[in-house]
Amino acid sequence: SNRFLSSMSSLIFVGVFALKDGRRVQLPYTKRSGEQSSREYSHYSTAVVCRQPPELPAELRIYSRSNDIIFPDDTAALIIAKAYIPPGDTAGDLLLDALNVAPFPGNPASDDYDVALPDFLWPLIFGLGTVSGPCGELPEGKASFPVTMSEYVRGSVKQSSVL
């Protein structure tokens, strides 16, 4: 059934991302007991760098405690995140909800900060989903096909399609 397939779907990004415009966001939620509470997150602007331009703007959300620091602009971090890619005809950034964040040490404002970073230029994308359309042909005889995946991002299951 379609419900079974959607429950076995996932979209994960792994890569080195540059973080900017860090800000703390507090979101209300209801506990199982019915009690109202809130969770804190750090939000950052970043981008998914592709092999061919353009870069895709993204917003990264990291669960954080109230005493966690906001990373300085241009901090590079190895990030594993659940993802949502909005349809091409819809305005909005890619949404990334961090599962793990490992910032690289050093001062991002320093001229030699980039020297110590690994050559991990493009993120890896792990997607588990269903083929959602017919196969097409690319140059050099390669085949392409759309894949639809869903992931729990920003409080709900969101569906992404990639070709």
Side-chain angles (χ1 to χ4, degrees):
S1 91
N2 219 8
R3 184 172 183 265
F4 176 72
L5 288 174
S6 67
S7 68
M8 294 185 61
S9 188
S10 183
L11 181 57
I12 304 290
F13 278 58
V14 176
V16 174
F17 293 86
L19 309 179
K20 288 186 178 256
D21 305 324
R23 61 208 174 277
R24 179 102 47 223
V25 176
Q26 200 171 59
L27 296 174
Y29 79 101
T30 304
K31 294 181 177 182
R32 289 183 186 154
S33 65
E35 178 186 352
Q36 294 297 309
S37 190
S38 65
R39 289 190 178 123
E40 291 195 30
Y41 298 90
S42 299
H43 284 234
Y44 295 90
S45 297
T46 189
V48 174
V49 177
C50 303
R51 285 186 184 263
Q52 297 177 350
E55 292 183 352
L56 305 174
E59 183 184 65
L60 174 70
R61 181 174 84 163
I62 303 169
Y63 174 77
S64 62
R65 297 177 297 271
S66 57
N67 60 344
D68 286 350
I69 65 162
I70 296 290
F71 299 120
D73 279 359
D74 299 318
T75 294
L78 177 62
I79 294 175
I80 302 171
K82 299 185 297 178
Y84 165 67
I85 304 170
D89 60 354
T90 302
D93 295 349
L94 276 78
L95 300 179
L96 302 172
D97 279 357
L99 296 168
N100 195 349
V101 177
F104 290 95
N107 178 359
S110 168
D111 289 339
D112 61 351
Y113 182 68
D114 291 352
V115 174
L117 298 179
D119 288 333
F120 195 164
L121 304 178
W122 305 286
L124 304 174
I125 301 172
F126 299 90
L128 176 64
T130 56
V131 174
S132 55
C135 183
E137 191 170 327
L138 295 173
E140 300 174 17
K142 296 180 181 176
S144 70
F145 50 88
V147 176
T148 300
M149 298 150 287
S150 57
E151 186 60 81
Y152 189 82
V153 177
R154 307 291 160 97
S156 66
V157 175
K158 294 179 175 44
Q159 196 169 67
S160 302
S161 292
V162 295
L163 181 60

